[in-house]
Amino acid sequence: MTDQERWMKQALRLAKKGAGWVNPNPMVGAVLVKDGNVIGQGFHRYFGGPHAEVEALNSVTVPVNDATLYVNLEPCIHQGKTPPCTRLLVEKGIRRVVVAMPDPNPLMNGKGISWLKSHGVQVETGLLQSEAERLNEIFCKYIRSRKPFCLYKGAMTLDGKIATVTGESRWISSEVSRNMVHNLRHEFSAVMVGLGTVLKDDPGLQARRSGRVKKDPLKVIVDSSCRIPPDSRVLAQNPQLTVLAVTRKAPLAKMAVIRRMGAQVIVCPEKHEQVDLHYLMLALGAMDIDSVLMEGGGTLAFSALQDNIIDKVLFFIAPKFLGGKKAPTLLEGDGFRRMAEAVPLKSMEIKKLGEDLIIEGYL
């Protein structure tokens, strides 16, 4: 590994510290290097806070003139919640900037790089670009389409079951895997389940991170006829963080009750006699929800797969067998009729976490 790669990896590690706090902004880390030594570093800590470049400059105790900045995303040129970083870099005397990837935001799209070059700054791009794009895959999808990045998470046994024939599902995966899921709930803006999951498990859908500060996601319940019990945990515990996605089949009186409790209700068009998930994702995007962690169940998951709203899957496979012809599986619904309709998984990775296997891939 070269020194340049090492410093950019450090910027990427710093950027990751902002996960869950900066949405819908990107995660950005910055490292300042002078004469072969790191003299400052920083990262974007929270939405609306100082950018990584500013944090790095503020951390320096020596002159920064002629230093090199390593940053995983193109410095901003537009005035947002904070001033442009490009102008500050030039004012401070930074003469070289190494950027992993350009900013896909249409307001940027290379303009920051061009502005720096026009003001005498040497700019190099593409160092560890694939790693940088992977880190900010949520931001890249959302800023280009205004639709949330959707990750479908599921846990199953080796024979593909997500519960026993009696519906018992606690716990399929190991504690270390469940901790990872709670970290994902912190990092994603919303978690989505269907009504069946609410009726069966009555989940709270909070993020639990032992000994660590956390942010609870928005809870999105897909419930076409608004049959959710008012005493469900997702409504009883902080209903302001709950959104019910219904159709025109939902009774007006029941929707009024839910709204009086403090939850939001989105009335969506119907598709296949269910909530139109494309419409729902656009509605969530308009609410600045950049990412959705879909946690099931099988009927909702198949509808999402069928409608092509899932970007990525993360499956936890426990070394257990349950059997049972009627035991539920990760994907249910009507199913595809022909093998040619099967949805392939791309860029698949298999890892081991504790006793469980993790399969990760893109659709």
Side-chain angles (χ1 to χ4, degrees):
M1 182 189 302
T2 66
D3 285 342
Q4 288 201 103
E5 290 173 334
R6 181 162 50 86
W7 292 323
M8 186 60 79
K9 281 186 177 292
Q10 188 169 341
L12 289 165
R13 284 193 298 270
L14 287 166
K16 180 65 176 174
K17 291 184 177 183
W21 300 114
V22 301
N23 311 57
N25 281 351
M27 293 176 281
V28 184
V31 176
L32 280 165
V33 177
K34 185 174 182 178
D35 299 327
N37 298 307
V38 174
I39 60 171
Q41 60 185 20
F43 65 97
H44 187 33
R45 295 175 182 271
Y46 57 91
F47 179 74
H51 285 190
E53 298 91 332
V54 176
E55 289 267 322
L57 287 167
N58 288 341
S59 73
V60 174
T61 58
V62 298
V64 299
N65 56 301
D66 297 326
T68 296
L69 175 74
Y70 290 82
V71 61
N72 61 293
L73 192 71
E74 172 185 2
C76 65
I77 191 174
H78 63 280
Q79 175 73 45
K81 291 185 177 295
T82 59
C85 292
T86 48
R87 189 176 301 278
L88 181 63
L89 294 174
V90 170
E91 290 174 354
K92 293 291 186 179
I94 303 298
R95 291 291 172 259
R96 180 169 174 260
V97 177
V98 180
V99 178
M101 64 174 286
D103 191 332
N105 187 337
L107 292 173
M108 292 287 296
N109 200 23
K111 293 178 183 176
I113 292 172
S114 297
W115 192 92
L116 286 171
K117 288 180 176 179
S118 70
H119 286 74
V121 179
Q122 178 188 349
V123 182
E124 300 173 21
T125 60
L127 180 65
L128 302 185
Q129 181 165 341
S130 60
E131 292 183 33
E133 290 174 347
R134 178 77 173 264
L135 175 71
N136 272 313
E137 59 190 6
I138 287 174
F139 173 73
C140 291
K141 160 76 183 289
Y142 179 67
I143 204 68
R144 288 168 177 152
S145 67
R146 305 305 295 182
K147 291 190 292 186
F149 182 94
C150 182
L151 170 66
Y152 173 43
K153 182 278 302 180
M156 62 183 176
T157 60
L158 277 173
D159 54 341
K161 308 300 182 181
I162 64 172
T164 67
V165 290
T166 62
E168 183 183 342
S169 59
R170 295 182 180 178
W171 297 102
I172 294 275
S173 57
S174 65
E175 183 177 0
V176 66
S177 294
R178 298 196 300 275
N179 288 339
M180 181 179 175
V181 172
H182 282 286
N183 285 332
L184 287 172
R185 286 183 181 178
H186 162 78
E187 294 176 10
F188 276 65
S189 295
V191 59
M192 180 185 293
V193 299
L195 175 67
T197 298
V198 174
L199 295 177
K200 182 172 70 73
D201 297 332
D202 193 22
L205 301 179
Q206 299 100 335
R208 293 190 295 273
R209 306 172 84 204
S210 179
R212 302 172 66 187
V213 181
K214 54 91 176 180
K215 172 186 64 64
D216 282 334
L218 187 74
K219 297 165 285 188
V220 181
I221 313 301
V222 181
D223 178 9
S224 58
S225 298
C226 198
R227 294 191 294 121
I228 187 170
D231 60 352
S232 298
R233 289 176 65 199
V234 290
L235 290 174
Q237 300 173 352
N238 200 356
Q240 291 80 12
L241 273 179
T242 300
V243 171
L244 233 64
V246 305
T247 68
R248 289 178 177 84
K249 294 185 293 189
L252 294 177
K254 180 67 174 293
M255 286 193 289
V257 169
I258 300 301
R259 287 183 171 123
R260 281 197 297 271
M261 294 180 69
Q264 301 178 65
V265 179
I266 301 176
V267 181
C268 304
E270 284 189 37
K271 186 174 183 182
H272 309 305
E273 299 183 351
Q274 301 292 332
V275 167
D276 185 330
L277 295 178
H278 277 291
Y279 180 93
L280 176 58
M281 296 302 262
L282 287 169
L284 293 173
M287 296 165 58
D288 285 339
I289 300 300
D290 67 343
S291 50
V292 170
L293 176 63
M294 183 176 291
E295 296 197 12
T299 302
L300 173 64
F302 181 75
S303 295
L305 184 73
Q306 193 176 31
D307 290 347
N308 297 314
I309 71 164
I310 298 175
D311 297 290
K312 186 177 182 179
V313 299
L314 185 68
F315 292 156
F316 297 87
I317 304 177
K320 304 171 183 176
F321 297 98
L322 280 177
K325 183 169 61 175
K326 295 184 179 179
T329 60
L330 277 176
L331 292 172
E332 296 182 344
D334 293 332
F336 296 119
R337 294 183 177 275
R338 298 185 301 118
M339 190 60 70
E341 297 176 288
V343 179
L345 191 63
K346 302 175 182 178
S347 303
M348 185 176 71
E349 294 183 6
I350 301 177
K351 307 171 187 175
K352 197 169 186 294
L353 183 64
E355 295 180 347
D356 299 335
L357 290 178
I358 298 179
I359 295 181
E360 185 176 8
Y362 296 84
L363 300 182

